[in-house]
Amino acid sequence: MIEVVLNDRLGKKVRVKCNDDETIGDLKKLVAAQTGTRAEKIRIQKWYTIYKDHITLKDYEIHDGMGLELYYN
């Protein structure tokens, strides 16, 4: 289990615990459950790299305690 911190830069930080073999789409569903926003309206990125839904956290080298950017479309 790893913990990922997502910051929406509007004052909200979301901490999500998940496995590193889960996909970005799974992570979006977990974030949606905590924030109340629909998963298809969430965009996760780091700097200018927008993460695709079908790729796993391990493939993106997302580790425990890593911070990602959370945007609402």
Side-chain angles (χ1 to χ4, degrees):
M1 290 289 279
I2 62 171
E3 184 178 55
V4 181
V5 180
L6 295 109
N7 188 355
D8 70 353
R9 297 188 177 188
L10 298 172
K12 185 183 287 187
K13 277 190 176 178
V14 181
R15 293 179 177 270
V16 179
K17 287 196 178 288
C18 56
N19 294 318
D20 61 352
D21 59 347
E22 292 183 10
T23 63
I24 295 292
D26 297 334
L27 180 64
K28 284 183 181 181
K29 289 175 188 171
L30 293 171
V31 172
Q34 285 194 11
T35 60
T37 308
R38 293 200 325 254
E40 52 273 1
K41 291 287 185 183
I42 292 174
R43 186 174 83 230
I44 297 175
Q45 68 184 56
K46 180 77 171 181
W47 289 92
Y48 294 106
T49 305
I50 298 173
Y51 292 145
K52 308 271 191 239
D53 285 354
H54 63 281
I55 300 177
T56 64
L57 302 179
K58 191 186 303 180
D59 291 339
Y60 276 126
E61 297 180 0
I62 296 174
H63 304 294
D64 189 30
M66 191 165 174
L68 301 174
E69 299 165 9
L70 176 65
Y71 293 98
Y72 307 110
N73 290 340

